[in-house]
Amino acid sequence: MNGAAAAAVREEFRRVHGGEPDGVWAAPGRVNLIGEHTDYCDGFALPMALPQRTLVAARRRDDGLLRLHSAQGDGRTTELRVADLAPGGTGGWARYPAGVVWALRERGLDVGGADLHVSSTVPTGAGLSSSAALECAVAVAYDDLHGLGLDRPVLARVAQHAENAFAGVPCGIMDQMASVCCTAGHALHLDSRSLEVRQVPLDLTGHGLSLLVLDTRVQHDLADGAYAALRAGCERAAELLHVPALRELTEPDLPAALAALPPDLVPLVRHQVTENARVERTVDHLAAGEPEALGPVLTAGHASLRDDYRISCPETDLAVESAVAAGALGARMTGGGFGGSVIALVPAEAAAAVAAAVGDAFAAAGFTAPAVLEAVPSAGAERIG
Ligand code: ADP
Ligand code: MG
């Protein structure tokens, strides 16, 4: 599969840029099984890479120019001078790949220009991290092209810095860590403080299960402002509780912690603490070989995001409720919130019926039909050609 995919992107590169690329790299989108909005509180998450991924064919240039083209772009090639790259200076989709080159140079790495052609199967704006896939594909390409030898967490930090500081989009580290560190057949247990990772075997098919991704096709503008407010609220709570980050607290600490906080911070802290506990519970169920037991943990995670964190919306709530009513073992929104995608753990034989039931519920509510994918735990970023 890699060979054919790489050949197709090489062909597109030849058409766009002329001549051969030096290589082809790929980085996947992701879904997060559990552990939502915990990364900026130094907490835990359990993402997995999707088979959908972003490919980048790249060729070094010696003249300091960065020439960017995407099969999902506007058909034009964006040309930038590497030495002139500055935060806020580049708009549109090009700010993600350009941001990676800028972030590498910010680390003192003397990288120059390139011709890049991007082609992706990750849906954009669906909460499946097409932005991280794009950044990470460019980061691994540059790492190889310049023999930088950066380790995976450093590549993830570079990609995150590009998104935060250059593209101007606030995000934690989970998306980028998932894209560079995941491996096929596993979920990735991520400690967002140390960036230590553990590969957790995830054999859903072997247990007759399937993980559906229901893309609600909605993205509300609330997302960015709400993210900043939630993050600030968590930081204020940590300060009031005299801990470096909320991840320090565990469930036995909760009653005393909540009693010490102003009412507006109580639900935020409750979500953070119970969500980290749900990550550990999920890992325990997987280690015990009982993935079907994850269902109620996922649904409890959704309730916490809906009622405590308040980042759900009618579309994600309806997707969760209609999936569970139609036989899903559990379901929850995944990603930043206010739209995006829902994951549903379903017995494989019920997958089609659950997807159809969610579609019917959306039609009855007057919502746009959701897109359905199956999340098969796939490989992280790699060179493929
Ligand atoms: P998500 O990461 O959930 O898909 P974001 O809003 O963070 O949503 O990122 C989507 C943006 O990333 C797109 O609007 C576009 O600017 C950029 N992007 C992602 N993939 C591509 C691609 N293949 N080609 C061009 N731009 C892309
Ligand atoms: Mg994104």
Side-chain angles (χ1 to χ4, degrees), residues 10 86 239 293 346 371:
R10 273 179 178 272
E239 239 169 74
V346 296

Side-chain angles (χ1 to χ4, degrees), residues 20-306:
E20 284 296 317
D22 294 330
V24 181
W25 291 263
R30 62 96 191 94
V31 285
N32 189 18
L33 213 45
I34 192 81
E36 210 65 75
H37 276 262
T38 51
D39 56 358
Y40 52 78
C41 293
D42 281 0
F44 300 93
L46 197 65
M48 52 177 270
L50 292 171
Q52 285 75 17
R53 56 191 185 164
T54 298
L55 272 48
V56 169
R59 178 176 60 203
R60 277 178 70 149
R61 294 181 67 101
D62 298 331
D63 59 1
L65 289 182
L66 183 60
R67 300 183 72 249
L68 305 167
H69 189 275
S70 168
Q72 288 75 46
D74 58 7
R76 282 183 306 198
T77 299
T78 301
E79 191 167 297
L80 303 163
R81 189 161 287 288
V82 165
D84 296 341
L85 294 177
T90 308
W93 76 274
R95 69 196 201 276
Y96 297 98
V100 171
V101 177
W102 170 83
L104 288 167
R105 290 167 63 87
E106 281 289 293
R107 293 184 80 91
L109 297 161
D110 184 24
V111 297
D115 291 325
L116 301 182
H117 173 70
V118 175
S119 185
S120 180
T121 52
V122 186
T124 53
L128 303 177
S129 254
S130 69
S131 58
L134 175 55
E135 293 147 15
C136 292
V138 173
V140 290
Y142 257 73
D143 186 55
D144 268 358
L145 283 176
H146 291 273
L148 303 176
L150 301 175
D151 66 23
R152 296 269 152 164
V154 173
L155 290 171
R157 283 278 184 226
V158 164
Q160 184 203 13
H161 193 45
E163 183 149 347
N164 293 167
F166 193 90
V169 182
C171 63
I173 191 69
M174 189 257 290
D175 299 348
Q176 291 82 5
M177 281 297 284
S179 192
V180 295
C181 292
C182 280
T183 59
H186 296 86
L188 185 83
H189 183 262
L190 169 66
D191 177 336
S192 300
R193 183 170 62 189
S194 64
L195 297 194
E196 264 170 45
V197 296
R198 199 150 40 86
Q199 304 292 340
V200 179
L202 180 64
D203 178 18
L204 296 176
T205 351
H207 287 83
L209 297 172
S210 162
L211 190 68
L212 294 183
V213 180
L214 306 156
D215 169 8
T216 66
R217 312 278 268 271
V218 292
Q219 196 174 30
H220 296 284
D221 295 339
L222 280 163
D224 275 6
Y227 180 95
L230 290 164
R231 192 170 176 151
C234 288
E235 280 160 14
R236 200 151 52 85
E239 239 169 74
L240 291 172
L241 295 169
H242 307 292
V243 289
L246 292 180
R247 97 84 167 270
E248 303 298 333
L249 305 175
T250 56
E251 281 179 315
D253 304 323
L254 254 187
L258 297 187
L261 288 170
D264 61 317
L265 298 180
V266 163
L268 302 192
V269 173
R270 190 163 49 213
H271 171 73
Q272 288 292 333
V273 174
T274 58
E275 187 75 352
N276 282 326
R278 280 186 286 273
V279 172
E280 297 322 306
R281 215 165 296 143
T282 300
V283 169
D284 290 345
H285 285 313
L286 291 176
E290 45 192 41
E292 60 287 346
L294 303 188
V297 186
L298 300 182
T299 307
H302 185 75
S304 183
L305 291 168
R306 183 190 59 211

